[in-house]
Amino acid sequence: MMNFLRTNKYIAGLWVVIRLYLGFRWLTSGWGKIVGGEFDAGGYLQGAIGNPDVQGWWQAFLEAVAIPNAGLFSIVVMWGEVLVGLGLILGVFTNLAALMGVVMNFSFLLSGTFSTNPQMAILGIFIAIAGANAGRYGLDRWVMPYLKETWNQRVRKGKGKQSETYVA
């Protein structure tokens, strides 16, 4: 089954549909926060602390880390949603985008917000499981081989220099 999800070119078409759906959801959510000009994660974070369904360890994290840095978290949420959306729509760094989307979904879930987060998290996990096949019909088709070749060239050059210094 894993081989089918990760290599089948027909299922890659399904991944495109799921990517576009998730990407649109992320992009519109983040862009709405950016252009709205009034998004502040502080109120949301305060509300999560008062929620009896939120685990104590997560409340402690919110109180110690998130709330004192609410401005930074506001920026990270807004731009994170936009970047995840663009990555999924364009099919570039697809696995990273899907994983970061899942991280945000779980952060929202842990803070007591359910809405569409479980559905989006599950779809994001499936995209991540699909690996390179999820970006087959996207920019990953060209970007990933280019990055791999560039990386391999740098590694080969680095090894050659090391061996020369040890020989001398």
Side-chain angles (χ1 to χ4, degrees), residues 12 15-16 18-20 23 83-98 127 131-145:
W15 297 135
V16 172
I18 294 171
R19 271 190 13 236
L20 290 174
L83 292 172
V84 165
L86 287 173
L88 291 171
I89 290 169
L90 298 174
V92 65
F93 303 117
T94 305
N95 290 335
L96 178 63
I127 289 174
N133 203 31
R136 177 185 290 224
Y137 301 123
L139 294 179
D140 277 346
R141 184 178 201 154
W142 297 281
V143 171
M144 298 314 281

Side-chain angles (χ1 to χ4, degrees), residues 50-68:
N51 186 337
D53 294 328
V54 175
Q55 297 290 312
W57 65 272
W58 186 253
Q59 285 182 356
F61 167 77
L62 295 177
E63 289 174 333
V65 178
I67 290 174

Side-chain angles (χ1 to χ4, degrees), residues 67-152:
I67 290 174
N69 298 296
L72 174 63
F73 274 77
S74 296
I75 292 167
V76 168
V77 168
M78 289 186 296
W79 286 103
E81 288 180 353
V82 167
L83 292 172
V84 165
L86 287 173
L88 291 171
I89 290 169
L90 298 174
V92 65
F93 303 117
T94 305
N95 290 335
L96 178 63
L99 287 173
M100 291 302 101
V102 169
V103 167
M104 283 193 290
N105 284 131
F106 275 104
S107 297
F108 300 147
L109 285 167
L110 288 168
S111 298
T113 302
F114 292 98
S115 148
T116 60
N117 287 304
Q119 164 198 331
M120 291 175 70
I122 290 168
L123 292 175
I125 289 168
F126 275 114
I127 289 174
I129 288 170
N133 203 31
R136 177 185 290 224
Y137 301 123
L139 294 179
D140 277 346
R141 184 178 201 154
W142 297 281
V143 171
M144 298 314 281
Y146 172 78
L147 291 176
K148 184 177 179 180
E149 180 58 31
T150 302
W151 176 262
N152 288 337

